[in-house]
Amino acid sequence: MSEAPIAAGSGGGGPAERTRAVLARMGAPEALAQPLVAALGPGAPTELTADPWRLLELPHVTLEQADYCARRALGDATASPDDPRRGRAVVARLLHRASREGHTAIEERRLARAMRSMGIASPEPAMTAALDGGEVMAFEVVPDDDPFGEGGEVAEMPDPERFYGLARVGLAEQDLGEGLARLSGTSEPLMDSATAAETVEATAERLGVEVAPETAAALVTVALRGVCVLPHGAGARGAGVVARVLACAADIAAGSEVGVALAAPTAQSAAGLNAQLAALGTGAATAEVVPLGRLLECRGPGVFGRGTERPIEAGLVIVTDAMALDVEHAAALVEACADATHLVLLADPAEAPSAGPGQVVADLVASGTVAVAQLPAGAEPDPLAELAARVAVGELGEVSAPGREVVAIPAGSGGEAAHRALQLITDSIPRALGVPAEETQIVAATRGGEAGADALNAACKARFNAGPGAHNGVDPGDRVLLAADGPGYTAGDIGYLREVGDGGLAVELPDGTSAPVADPAHLRPGWAVTVAAAHGGHWPAVIAVFGPETRGSRPQVYTAATRALRHLSIVHAAGPALAQAVRETPSISRHTRLVPILREG
């Protein structure tokens, strides 16, 4: 492996000053000092001296660069490819990458193959070193094989398979499975099926709306079962099906005197549902939909005010847009539900899985351990719902859109696609459709590339709010994406950065609340977001951008398309590859353990 020195830089004081000295001795840029202190704590210089491969705690540092620094610090004879410290760092790097790709655990043989490809001839000692470090955990899963052998005789129990994962993710998935089993095992019916059906009928009559038989049956299931998944299609939200479910469920909770809590993944999604509930009439506004982070009283990444000691004060908890739930947020939600609480997840299973690790809704349905009740589509699908329905079965083609609800705009290159997207948000959509730029969201298939979210954000910032990007690349007045949880906000929230008080910063969220920025590192430009970051959000107009480098999938295209409430512009330079991806890549594969955990529970 060739040596790869990296340019030097500068840093701050305190532990960072000592870290800079260590970095200088190993030929690493001194500018890494502050990020390393943030990642490793004040003991960073000591830890880095003892183990130069701790550099890999920073995701932008490559293994080749870390190896170069280790040879400078330890000598060529000591810094061997099979050094346990190197192995531990490689295991952690591979599992962090897997987590970013949505996996919660990797099977041992698959992990060993990846390690050998990175020059570790003997993976076992490296895995042991990783386990000893505490960041990584191993889990055993018994394969779900046919319990009967040939001739119908009971087969021998298969040997368990060994999986490795980041400890925080693996423990969250374990806690989630055990918590769901707890809710299922402790719940009692909120009311009998006849009373539940009568309550739904009375709610519909009071509001002057129709409730389809499938919706009524699903609500009876909600009243009877402790954990329910209510799958629905793309048209259910726009047609008011979701809002009617929430209104009827609130009446079921009121009739049972247990209280109800309604939540959506983001402030933007919650605000939209509250508007729909208000449109049903004052009788429907018996409960407010709140962002999930606010329901759980989020205080920072992984820290919530609600939990076992202080559970949510409701016997019926409903979360919409639940495909956005990753295992860590889902585990926090379940932990905050007291024994006997009924938990309901509304989700569109055709969407891509969550931005974070896991595939919670898909695994719940696949496990067969919870109630599943399908909700109907709207009676008359509009062009947006018709397009989504076609994508869901693998077709990407034109739909009749007399009101210009759907427009496809081909482009010859990524640069042209970006130009078209900027033209749409600044001029065409506001002028032709009356939807202002503030209500239009660009959703890109990728971050990189000429038509990726990063390039589109740079173009939008120059057009809407030119400035130095003083706060992690953004300035007051910019539309921002909150990339991590913090007090008053949740990862995935999108709003506008404002100055408050004595030079302080806050994000103005779509529901009218203002969230102080706990950490400027949580801020990202939000004029354009990736499909993963758009989960849980819905906007009047959406510009979905697919560059020539797009290697998409059916769920990705479907999710981008279903963010739009009134208008969707599809700008693509992917040519026939986009339709091919929709046709030939029907799912996004993730390795998770939730199904066996649920079945074992």
Side-chain angles (χ1 to χ4, degrees), residues 5-108:
I6 26 187
S10 59
E17 185 176 352
R18 297 193 301 276
T19 302
R20 283 199 304 275
V22 176
L23 291 169
R25 289 196 296 272
M26 62 176 60
E30 296 178 16
L32 299 180
Q34 202 64 52
L36 282 166
V37 171
L40 301 176
T46 302
E47 292 192 39
L48 201 58
T49 300
D51 181 359
W53 285 285
R54 296 305 299 271
L55 282 167
L56 291 174
E57 292 284 335
L58 304 181
H60 58 278
V61 175
T62 69
L63 179 60
E64 184 181 23
Q65 290 168 339
D67 284 340
Y68 167 80
C69 293
R71 289 193 295 271
R72 285 280 302 266
L74 304 175
D76 290 344
T78 303
S80 71
D82 283 321
D83 190 301
R85 293 168 293 184
R86 181 180 190 269
R88 179 175 62 190
V90 167
V91 171
R93 169 62 62 93
L94 288 170
L95 293 177
H96 275 288
R97 181 190 302 168
S99 178
R100 288 193 300 272
E101 293 172 353
H103 309 294
T104 62
I106 300 298
E107 200 270 330
E108 185 175 51

Side-chain angles (χ1 to χ4, degrees), residues 233-446:
R237 184 183 179 106
V241 174
V242 171
R244 292 172 193 177
V245 167
L246 298 182
C248 292
D251 280 359
I252 288 173
S256 306
E257 299 181 346
V258 297
V260 67
L262 309 178
T266 65
Q268 198 266 359
S269 182
L273 286 169
N274 283 324
Q276 287 190 328
L277 285 171
L280 287 176
T282 56
T286 55
E288 179 187 9
V289 184
V290 300
L292 181 61
R294 201 170 302 160
L295 176 67
L296 298 177
E297 298 181 8
C298 180
R299 296 171 180 170
V303 182
F304 303 94
R306 294 288 181 176
T308 304
E309 300 300 321
R310 189 167 168 266
I312 298 167
E313 296 169 0
L316 175 58
V317 176
I318 303 178
V319 178
T320 68
D321 295 290
M323 289 296 286
L325 282 177
D326 59 38
V327 292
E328 293 181 275
H329 286 89
L333 170 66
V334 170
E335 182 183 358
C337 292
D339 287 356
T341 299
H342 283 228
L343 176 64
V344 182
L345 303 179
L346 281 80
D348 183 345
E351 292 178 5
S354 55
Q359 48 186 16
V360 174
V361 171
D363 284 347
L364 278 173
V365 173
S367 73
T369 61
V370 303
V372 179
Q374 180 73 42
L375 294 175
E380 295 293 336
D382 61 17
L384 288 166
E386 183 181 347
L387 173 69
R390 290 189 182 185
V391 172
V393 296
E395 299 176 8
L396 182 61
E398 294 184 6
V399 296
S400 176
R404 291 182 290 185
E405 294 88 350
V406 180
V407 176
I409 304 170
S413 66
E416 184 184 348
H419 174 75
R420 295 292 187 191
L422 188 63
Q423 187 180 49
L424 284 163
I425 193 172
T426 58
D427 177 57
S428 302
I429 290 177
R431 175 173 46 81
L433 301 175
V435 180
E438 292 77 13
E439 296 179 7
T440 302
Q441 181 64 49
I442 300 176
V443 177
T446 63

Side-chain angles (χ1 to χ4, degrees), residues 6 18 58 75 131 136 145-146 152 155 161-162 207 217 232 239 248 278 340 369 459 467 524:
I6 26 187
R18 297 193 301 276
L58 304 181
L131 292 174
V136 172
D145 293 338
D146 186 346
E161 295 176 344
R162 193 171 176 87
L207 298 176
H232 61 77
C248 292
T369 61
R524 303 283 188 277

